[in-house]
Amino acid sequence: MNNSLKKSLAGLTLIAIGVAAGWGLSQWRSSTHAVDGAAPQAGAAAERKVLYWYDPMSPTQKFDKPGKSPFMDMDLVPKYADEDAQDSVGLSVSAQTVQALGLRTAEVVQRAIGSDVDAVGTVLLNDRDVSIVQARSAGFVERVYARAPGDVIGAGAPLADLLLPEWVAAQREFLAVRALKDESLTTAARQRLLLLGMPQALVAQVERTGEPRGIYTVSAPQGGLVAELMVRQGMTVSAGASLARVNGLATVWIEAAVPEAQSGPLQPGHEAQVRLAAFPGEVLKARIVSILPQANSDTRTVRVRLELANPGQRLKAGMSGQITLQGREQPALLVPSEAVIRTGKRALAYVVDGPGKFHPVEVQLGAEIGDQLVVQGGLEAGQQVVASAQFLIDSEASLRGLLPASPGATPEHGAHGAAPAYTVRGVVEEVSTAELTLAHDAIPALKWPAMTMGFKLADPRLAAGLAPKQQVRFTFSKQGEDYVITAIEGIKP
């Protein structure tokens, strides 16, 4: 089947759906006039006043006489003057219409949901498990053992032999003082050797043999990866010079970039599951050790760091895998995603008041979990909501003016004929003592779309404490040719 034929069939399908939906709505409107009573008499129906005619698929377009819709191949439907008085709270639909439309309902349920987050992670060396090997005195490198960066060594492994002349001179003085048989002087001389950085074992060996030890072998204080080796044979080293850096391998880090919007519920100490590509089918256990305090402004992600045991040194830095971060469970209200009508500005659900009776409610939505939405406000557990054919009910509610007021600014008329004031939400873009630049929401009362513009300040003190990117609620009015802010307050995002 070629592309043009496919497009033709798709277009015919959409037209058929529109015609069916319009027919269903027209049948519903006919049936609602006879709900809860006998069919009206012909004379009574003829006396009803018609305000206008409209197309059920485009209810905002009004016509002054009956006929065919210019949009679809269907008859226009009359709007009667007495319909608004039939039900000022909600809508009534007959049982026959409910069945014809295939209208289904669903229950608003409350249950505990986990805030699990999936992310891609990378294995890193644990930078908290690092040892730096330094020279404790100035000297010369006599020998470097066969080590190189990247080698894995054990604790106590020799790294280099150093000749330390200062230690040799101090040991000879100690032996000379000890020969005097003065216990207090001997103790002081022994303490001086320790303060010069000599290990206790070396001091004991000098005291036992009576011979100074000029060669000192530098060894690794812990096992792990030789990350850096900065010593070579024949070098001269100064006191405190770094010779090697050893990174422990008993544990490793796994770092993941979590979307900013999903990072809120995560806390240090939470458990995580790790599935690495190197070990398919194996699930490793880890825990969050830190959530770094700075988000990436380009990718809008937060870095989360996990710690994982590394027995047998199986995990290598640079490995990658899938991370499932387990946030704490919390109660939430859930409704099917199909039960919510989202217009971009707000979300609506239709609550079932009784058999065939519905009313619209504006709802505040949270995260989407599978085919369900978290409801943060507007509904209560146990309520029934319409889960199908809502667009027909929404069309009728719009005609009757039953929808909740649209969000945005509303005019507030001042006393004695003062210019109306408008209150709206916005985000600060630029701040000065005389003017604010704000990105504000749409203002239906002025027929303004959402946009960024400058506002004068009635008082320079109104700008105190404001900063770019801050969310605010402000009130303004037109004064001459300018729009002037008369009140402003910060709000939480």
Side-chain angles (χ1 to χ4, degrees), residues 112-292:
I113 60 172
S115 51
D116 291 355
V117 178
D118 291 327
V120 176
T122 303
V123 178
L124 305 174
L125 295 176
N126 186 345
D127 282 343
R128 293 177 181 169
D129 189 11
V130 175
S131 296
I132 302 295
V133 181
Q134 293 181 319
R136 298 187 179 184
S137 179
F140 310 95
V141 180
E142 293 289 319
R143 175 188 178 188
V144 176
Y145 291 82
R147 312 292 181 203
D151 288 350
V152 176
I153 60 176
L159 298 175
D161 290 342
L162 303 182
L163 174 60
L164 305 176
E166 185 179 358
W167 281 16
V168 175
Q171 291 170 11
R172 290 187 183 280
E173 290 180 6
F174 167 71
L175 293 175
V177 170
R178 193 183 65 159
L180 298 176
K181 307 295 185 180
D182 188 322
E183 188 62 32
S184 60
L185 291 178
T186 301
T187 300
R190 185 186 298 110
Q191 185 66 27
R192 179 170 178 268
L193 297 182
L194 297 174
L195 293 176
L196 286 174
M198 296 184 199
Q200 182 72 48
L202 178 60
V203 174
Q205 182 182 8
V206 171
E207 192 168 9
R208 183 176 64 255
T209 61
E211 295 292 335
R213 295 279 300 175
I215 301 295
Y216 171 64
T217 300
V218 178
S219 59
Q222 68 171 20
L225 173 73
V226 179
E228 293 181 85
L229 188 64
M230 294 83 78
V231 60
R232 293 293 182 265
Q233 189 167 339
M235 287 177 56
T236 299
V237 296
S238 59
S242 294
L243 307 179
R245 180 173 179 267
V246 180
N247 213 127
L249 297 174
T251 59
V252 293
W253 283 346
I254 297 182
E255 197 166 281
V258 176
E260 181 182 343
Q262 297 179 284
S263 63
L266 301 179
Q267 297 292 333
H270 285 181
E271 298 297 323
Q273 295 181 345
V274 180
R275 296 172 177 85
L276 297 177
F279 309 108
E282 186 173 349
V283 179
L284 307 176
K285 300 293 185 181
R287 65 181 180 88
I288 299 176
V289 292
S290 63
I291 299 173
L292 302 194

Side-chain angles (χ1 to χ4, degrees), residues 32-61:
T32 56
H33 305 327
V35 171
D36 300 330
Q41 299 296 323
E47 295 174 1
R48 297 181 66 189
K49 181 180 178 182
V50 177
L51 297 177
Y52 56 84
W53 283 261
Y54 69 96
D55 182 347
M57 299 304 294
S58 184
T60 57
Q61 296 291 329

Side-chain angles (χ1 to χ4, degrees), residues 48-118:
R48 297 181 66 189
K49 181 180 178 182
V50 177
L51 297 177
Y52 56 84
W53 283 261
Y54 69 96
D55 182 347
M57 299 304 294
S58 184
T60 57
Q61 296 291 329
K62 302 176 182 180
F63 302 90
D64 57 3
K65 58 184 178 180
K68 287 287 187 179
S69 168
F71 309 110
M72 304 293 290
D73 186 19
M74 64 177 65
D75 291 330
L76 296 175
V77 176
K79 168 71 174 180
Y80 293 103
D82 60 353
E83 286 180 356
D84 291 334
Q86 290 177 1
D87 191 345
S88 60
V89 177
L91 302 172
S92 295
V93 182
S94 67
Q96 294 87 347
T97 305
V98 169
Q99 184 175 4
L101 295 177
L103 191 147
R104 294 180 292 105
T105 62
E107 184 180 358
V108 182
V109 297
Q110 182 171 14
R111 64 179 176 86
I113 60 172
S115 51
D116 291 355
V117 178
D118 291 327

Side-chain angles (χ1 to χ4, degrees), residues 229-352:
L229 188 64
M230 294 83 78
V231 60
R232 293 293 182 265
Q233 189 167 339
M235 287 177 56
T236 299
V237 296
S238 59
S242 294
L243 307 179
R245 180 173 179 267
V246 180
N247 213 127
L249 297 174
T251 59
V252 293
W253 283 346
I254 297 182
E255 197 166 281
V258 176
E260 181 182 343
Q262 297 179 284
S263 63
L266 301 179
Q267 297 292 333
H270 285 181
E271 298 297 323
Q273 295 181 345
V274 180
R275 296 172 177 85
L276 297 177
F279 309 108
E282 186 173 349
V283 179
L284 307 176
K285 300 293 185 181
R287 65 181 180 88
I288 299 176
V289 292
S290 63
I291 299 173
L292 302 194
Q294 186 172 5
N296 187 312
S297 58
D298 295 327
T299 61
R300 309 313 309 170
T301 56
V302 175
R303 291 164 60 197
V304 177
R305 188 173 288 163
L306 300 93
E307 188 172 279
L308 181 62
N310 186 23
Q313 301 173 5
R314 300 171 64 216
L315 308 181
K316 316 296 183 185
M319 287 182 173
S320 63
Q322 190 70 25
I323 314 299
T324 301
L325 303 166
Q326 300 172 355
R328 62 181 182 274
E329 288 192 346
Q330 49 191 356
L333 291 176
L334 298 173
V335 296
S337 299
E338 60 181 351
V340 178
I341 300 174
R342 285 176 276 194
T343 65
K345 289 290 184 182
R346 61 180 179 179
L348 293 176
Y350 281 85
V351 177
V352 180

